[in-house]
Amino acid sequence: MGSSVKKKKDKQKDFQKPKLRVGKTKPQAANFTDTSFKSKAILLNQQSLTTSAPSSLTQFTHHVSLLSSKSDGQRRDSLSYLTSAIASRRIESPLEQPVSVLLPKLLPLFLDGSNGVRNQLLKLLRVLPPADIAAHGEKLLIYIRAGMTHLAADIRISAMDILAWALDVAGEALVSGAGGWVKTLKCFLTMLGWSNGDTNASWSTSSASFSKAGSGGKTLTRNLNVLGLFLRTGLAKHDENESPECPNFPLSHVPYHSLPKRSNCFAHLNLFGPTRDEESEMYEDREERQKIFSGRFRQAYQRGLESAKHEGGEVGRAAASLTRFLSETVDSHNLEDV
């Protein structure tokens, strides 16, 4: 009898609220944790405790390594620092790191998804020594062509700006490099939406043309202007260093017997590389480029330009100017061959 009453009272204790007396604290729970402690930290005004500042070479190398950072702002700030560091150097002084070391870090940024990074990249490219760009024309064109056919319209626009800069500083090296002529011409056809199929088939423009991006035809006008610059670089006649009267008599053909002014001057022979097809071949002579253009691309570009002239405005003027150039250059070359 007594044991059963005791068990009932023990069970009821769990559901009874204890009465608190005035002046006494609440009893602590069994799982109570003391949190009254305070943490302390040491804050430093600078990350490095060394008394000497890092050298310019160390800072330059550090910012080059940050070009592959995952943060868009970090990549943009590093490009800005490199631009100011190169632009502020003395004219005769060499770069902190050569262009051959910088370009492998800069080339992937051609396809960067941030507009700020690509704009700052173009500013950096413009301050690089132009004489050091020609040797890397083939690598530049690989990433430029990838940007020209990219799905994002902003990246395609940036690729055209970079191509215009590259043609300005090393145009001859670009059009005469391996794959620089045929592959780039095919890339322009894809970007403009112009078909390069059978000449007997009906010509049509792609409905999903890359050139439709932008407003007011500004993008198409820009693309046609860059196309004209590329064709003029590869097809137009350039001034020769020597006149036919041989002013250096009795010396003649001096450039042909002098030391070459560019590296890998026998690259067109392809002595140790893999076998090249027509697209990957090097066309160093203007006549060879004209022959390839007339045989494979002349009609496709001509029909595309005729269609662009019907749009009028800036697009029509750019297309008309390019049509006149092709008529004067390519057609005259065909008459000479006949």
Side-chain angles (χ1 to χ4, degrees):
M1 186 71 181
S3 61
S4 62
V5 174
K6 184 179 180 180
K7 290 181 179 179
K8 289 181 180 180
K9 290 182 178 180
D10 293 340
K11 291 181 179 179
Q12 291 177 356
K13 285 182 179 181
D14 297 333
F15 303 97
Q16 290 178 354
K17 185 177 180 181
K19 295 181 179 180
L20 301 178
R21 296 182 180 181
V22 179
K24 290 190 177 181
T25 58
K26 182 180 179 180
Q28 296 180 353
N31 58 350
F32 173 75
T33 302
D34 185 11
T35 58
S36 60
F37 63 89
K38 294 182 180 179
S39 61
K40 295 183 179 181
I42 300 177
L43 300 179
L44 301 178
N45 295 330
Q46 55 187 5
Q47 295 181 354
S48 178
L49 297 179
T50 57
T51 57
S52 59
S55 61
S56 59
L57 177 59
T58 303
Q59 292 181 353
F60 195 92
T61 306
H62 174 67
H63 283 280
V64 170
S65 64
L66 292 179
L67 294 178
S68 57
S69 173
K70 295 182 179 180
S71 173
D72 297 346
Q74 184 65 71
R75 296 195 301 272
R76 184 184 63 252
D77 295 342
S78 296
L79 288 172
S80 178
Y81 174 85
L82 295 176
T83 303
S84 60
I86 295 175
S88 61
R89 66 184 178 89
R90 296 181 179 177
I91 299 178
E92 300 297 334
S93 62
L95 297 178
E96 299 290 347
Q97 290 190 5
V99 176
S100 59
V101 177
L102 292 176
L103 277 183
K105 296 286 187 179
L106 299 176
L107 292 178
L109 298 180
F110 286 12
L111 310 177
D112 196 279
S114 173
N115 290 332
V117 173
R118 295 195 308 274
N119 293 335
Q120 190 61 47
L121 172 64
L122 185 59
K123 296 179 182 179
L124 174 58
L125 293 175
R126 287 171 177 167
V127 299
L128 292 177
D132 299 339
I133 302 298
H136 308 281
E138 185 177 351
K139 297 179 181 178
L140 285 171
L141 276 180
I142 292 176
Y143 285 88
I144 290 175
R145 289 194 294 263
M148 292 171 61
T149 56
H150 201 276
L151 295 178
D154 294 338
I155 295 181
R156 295 197 299 270
I157 295 174
S158 298
M160 298 304 292
D161 293 337
I162 296 176
L163 178 58
W165 160 81
L167 291 172
D168 187 30
V169 298
E172 185 65 26
L174 262 64
V175 297
S176 62
W181 184 242
V182 177
K183 288 184 178 180
T184 308
L185 287 175
K186 293 180 65 176
C187 229
F188 269 108
L189 289 176
T190 302
M191 184 186 62
L192 294 171
W194 296 347
S195 174
N196 191 28
D198 188 6
T199 56
N200 297 325
S202 60
W203 183 89
S204 61
T205 304
S206 173
S207 59
S209 174
F210 285 158
S211 61
K212 300 300 181 183
S215 59
K218 294 182 179 179
T219 303
L220 180 56
T221 305
R222 174 62 173 166
N223 294 343
L224 291 177
N225 290 334
V226 178
L227 172 61
L229 179 61
F230 180 78
L231 292 177
R232 287 181 175 87
T233 303
L235 300 177
K237 293 183 179 181
H238 303 285
D239 297 334
E240 300 293 339
N241 295 330
E242 269 188 298
S243 60
E245 290 78 10
C246 296
N248 296 326
F249 182 82
L251 301 178
S252 62
H253 304 292
V254 175
Y256 299 103
H257 301 284
S258 303
L259 293 176
K261 297 181 179 180
R262 63 177 181 176
S263 61
N264 199 11
C265 57
F266 299 105
H268 62 283
L269 299 177
N270 195 25
L271 299 177
F272 306 102
T275 305
R276 295 172 179 165
D277 54 4
E278 188 180 25
E279 294 184 0
S280 303
E281 191 59 53
M282 298 179 64
Y283 300 99
E284 294 188 329
D285 295 336
R286 182 177 63 90
E287 289 76 9
E288 294 180 352
R289 294 192 290 266
Q290 286 181 334
K291 182 178 180 181
I292 291 294
F293 182 82
S294 300
R296 294 188 56 178
F297 302 100
R298 180 70 171 91
Q299 293 190 7
Y301 277 97
Q302 185 66 33
R303 295 177 182 179
L305 291 173
E306 290 296 332
S307 177
K309 285 194 295 184
H310 295 320
E311 298 187 15
E314 295 181 359
V315 176
R317 287 192 293 270
S321 175
L322 191 52
T323 302
R324 287 194 300 270
F325 167 75
L326 292 179
S327 300
E328 296 172 358
T329 305
V330 180
D331 294 344
S332 62
H333 176 263
N334 294 337
L335 292 176
E336 291 178 0
D337 293 342
V338 174

